[in-house]
Amino acid sequence: MKDLTQGSIPKHLINMALPMMIGMFIQTLYFIVDLYFVGKLGAAALAGLSLAGNAMFLIFALTQILNVSTAALISHAVGAKDREDANLTFNQSMMLSTVTGLVVCIIGYVGAEAYLNLISQDLATVQMGLTYLHWFIPCMALQFVMVSISSALRGTGIVKPTMIIQTLSILVNILLSPILIAGWGSGYAMGIAGAGLASSISVVFAVILLCYYFKTAEKYVSVDFSLWRVDTARIKKLLAIGLPAGGEFFLMFVYMGTIYWLIQPFGADAQAGFGLGSRIMQSLFLPAMAIAFAAPAIAGQNFGAKNYQRVRETFTWSAIMTCSLMAILTLACLSQAEWMVQAFSNDQEVLLISVVFLQLICWNFVPSGLVFTCSGMFQSLGNTMPALFSTATRLITFILPALWLSQQEDFQIEQLWYVSVTTVCIQAGVSFYLLRREFNKRLPQGESSSENLANENL
């Protein structure tokens, strides 16, 4: 357990975010390798990967329920020095993650084809996406156990071991991708199925390592099957915090699915180009997201310890760091978008759509950084409903004009990106307003714990 109620907040943010950044950098390489080899299979394969990959937002929605709530409640318990409460939260989270993972696996195999047929009219794209999902679903199901363990460690201030394990897992994925997709060394190329299998194998590897580490090294919370009996009160607490956070990702799943649905008439090239551009954008976001992910544990422990001024300072430093990184990424996309995408496809139409997407959508990077930061702070306060409301605001303000534009004779894909940028700016304003209101309600000015006062006087 690491005490985050003492010491420099920027230093805590950097120390926690740095290993996350390293892990996310390796994850970026994984995205790049996956895109590179699948992109060589053609536009239908790239579009199928993108459509199937969008299902991960639905998995993120479900895992985020446990991720946010477990980390928040455990960080509050750590700040209040209540180990028994932290242990109960962890074991209830593990129970829920195990059951949910099994359910997701079953539903995934039953409903994959119907989902793909809903958002694509191209038979080759649907077949590619279905092939990928059949091998990728075990990876999605195992995410739940990984999230419960990782969020428990993060709530106690420990991030380095999980980042190392996730990094090793991604390296395994990177090594397996050319072997399984293109047949390097084996002479047997599985194509897009190999991409899904590589991901599933790497996650199995990560879960085994993570469980081993947790069993042998972590002592603050531990697996206790006697605590796996349904505790209705604790599950309600987990869901009260986690459901709105999960709702954010569910709305993102709906948002992305809506775009794929709207651009169906433009063909597989358009869906592939959007999928390529959005995957690169998500990869670019990872370093900034590492800082936003580090903030809830720091602010959560200080909130539990009633060090309210340090909670406010955590937001300030997190916002400065996150938005600064996003500003740099905006400049990179404006000047280097063509270089970023050129290696992933030989189809010039796919590349053109991706370049235009990145050069327009990058104008929402800085407001997105503010949204990430605000969402992290809502998590630390144990109230994620405002974050859900801001995401819903974005979804509504995007879908209504996007549907109207799609009915016009001169409808062009670029119009969707302009609307998207506008709606993210609106979302950032809503998130910041709601966070200020939450701070005024839950963080009394001038109040802090006796330890914090003592430190300020030194």
Side-chain angles (χ1 to χ4, degrees):
M1 190 274 286
K2 185 174 182 181
D3 186 0
L4 303 174
T5 63
Q6 311 291 331
S8 167
I9 290 175
K11 185 176 179 180
H12 285 321
L13 278 170
I14 293 171
N15 286 342
M16 291 191 70
L18 199 56
M20 290 188 192
M21 284 185 184
I22 294 171
M24 288 178 169
F25 173 73
I26 302 297
Q27 189 172 357
T28 301
L29 293 181
Y30 150 66
F31 279 136
I32 290 172
V33 170
D34 228 20
L35 283 174
Y36 178 81
F37 286 102
V38 173
K40 299 304 180 184
L41 301 175
L46 190 56
L49 175 70
S50 301
L51 267 62
N54 185 51
M56 274 304 292
F57 277 104
L58 186 56
I59 301 303
F60 288 153
L62 296 172
T63 56
Q64 193 75 345
I65 295 172
L66 295 174
N67 185 18
V68 171
S69 58
T70 301
L73 290 178
I74 288 180
S75 68
H76 291 176
V78 170
K81 306 297 187 288
D82 190 342
R83 184 173 180 177
E84 183 178 338
D85 187 73
N87 212 36
L88 175 60
T89 294
F90 169 66
N91 280 279
Q92 289 291 297
S93 175
M94 283 292 289
M95 177 192 67
L96 290 173
S97 68
T98 303
V99 173
T100 308
L102 290 172
V103 172
V104 162
C105 195
I106 295 169
I107 293 177
Y109 283 111
V110 172
E113 187 171 2
Y115 158 71
L116 290 169
N117 281 320
L118 179 65
I119 57 176
S120 179
Q121 299 173 350
D122 186 81
L123 294 179
T125 296
V126 171
Q127 188 56 49
M128 285 288 185
L130 191 60
T131 301
Y132 174 76
L133 276 177
H134 279 169
W135 292 93
F136 186 67
I137 285 171
C139 168
M140 295 194 291
L142 287 169
Q143 295 293 323
F144 294 91
V145 172
M146 280 186 61
V147 160
S148 285
I149 297 175
S150 299
S151 59
L153 290 170
R154 191 171 71 252
T156 62
I158 299 172
V159 295
K160 188 174 181 180
T162 54
M163 288 303 108
I164 291 174
I165 290 171
Q166 288 176 1
T167 298
L168 291 174
S169 168
I170 293 167
L171 287 173
V172 169
N173 202 332
I174 290 172
L175 291 172
L176 288 176
S177 287
I179 296 172
L180 297 176
I181 298 173
W184 285 15
S186 67
Y188 177 69
M190 294 179 65
I192 196 170
L197 179 58
S199 296
S200 291
I201 292 174
S202 68
V203 171
V204 170
F205 173 77
V207 169
I208 292 172
L209 283 184
L210 200 54
C211 289
Y212 175 78
Y213 167 79
F214 198 84
K215 180 179 172 72
T216 58
E218 173 57 28
K219 302 301 180 186
Y220 195 82
V221 292
S222 58
V223 175
D224 182 351
F225 289 111
S226 68
L227 296 176
W228 282 43
R229 294 188 298 270
V230 174
D231 186 316
T232 305
R234 187 50 47 109
I235 291 175
K236 283 182 178 179
K237 279 188 176 182
L238 287 167
L239 295 180
I241 296 173
L243 278 175
E248 283 188 79
F249 277 93
F250 176 74
L251 292 180
M252 287 304 299
F253 166 74
V254 174
Y255 166 77
M256 295 290 287
T258 299
I259 292 179
Y260 281 119
W261 181 74
L262 288 172
I263 64 177
Q264 284 183 84
F266 295 97
D269 284 349
Q271 292 188 323
F274 168 64
L276 174 58
S278 60
R279 276 214 166 197
I280 290 175
M281 178 189 71
Q282 290 161 16
S283 300
L284 293 173
F285 278 3
L286 294 177
M289 290 175 69
I291 296 173
F293 287 169
I298 299 169
Q301 283 196 22
N302 283 285
F303 181 70
K306 296 183 171 55
N307 294 337
Y308 298 133
Q309 184 56 35
R310 286 176 63 85
V311 176
R312 294 176 182 274
E313 290 174 8
T314 301
F315 165 72
T316 300
W317 282 108
S318 179
I320 290 172
M321 293 179 181
T322 303
C323 292
S324 296
L325 274 174
M326 286 298 205
I328 294 171
L329 293 174
T330 299
L331 295 176
C333 283
L334 288 172
S335 60
Q336 301 298 326
E338 187 173 354
W339 175 83
M340 291 177 183
V341 305
Q342 63 185 0
F344 300 107
S345 178
N346 297 321
D347 189 314
Q348 293 303 310
E349 183 67 21
V350 170
L351 294 178
L352 177 61
I353 292 170
S354 297
V355 168
V356 173
F357 170 80
L358 287 172
Q359 289 179 334
L360 293 178
I361 212 72
C362 68
W363 292 106
N364 75 19
F365 283 10
V366 172
S368 292
L370 182 59
V371 170
F372 294 155
T373 304
C374 291
S375 294
M377 297 307 297
F378 289 130
Q379 294 169 26
S380 71
L381 298 176
N383 180 17
T384 52
M385 189 59 74
L388 176 62
F389 179 80
S390 75
T391 304
T393 300
R394 177 191 178 186
L395 184 65
I396 293 169
T397 54
F398 173 80
I399 286 182
L400 293 179
L403 288 173
W404 180 81
L405 287 169
S406 69
Q407 302 302 312
Q408 308 307 305
E409 292 184 1
D410 58 347
F411 174 53
Q412 297 178 345
I413 293 178
E414 291 81 7
Q415 294 171 333
L416 297 178
W417 315 150
Y418 288 117
V419 175
S420 181
V421 170
T422 303
T423 58
V424 172
C425 292
I426 294 171
Q427 182 187 10
V430 171
S431 291
F432 183 68
Y433 167 77
L434 293 175
L435 183 64
R436 285 190 61 186
R437 191 180 68 173
E438 200 70 12
F439 276 0
N440 291 335
K441 284 167 39 180
R442 299 166 70 91
L443 306 181
Q445 290 278 8
E447 292 190 24
S448 59
S449 70
S450 57
E451 290 122 320
N452 196 45
L453 287 172
N455 285 330
E456 291 172 357
N457 291 330
L458 290 178

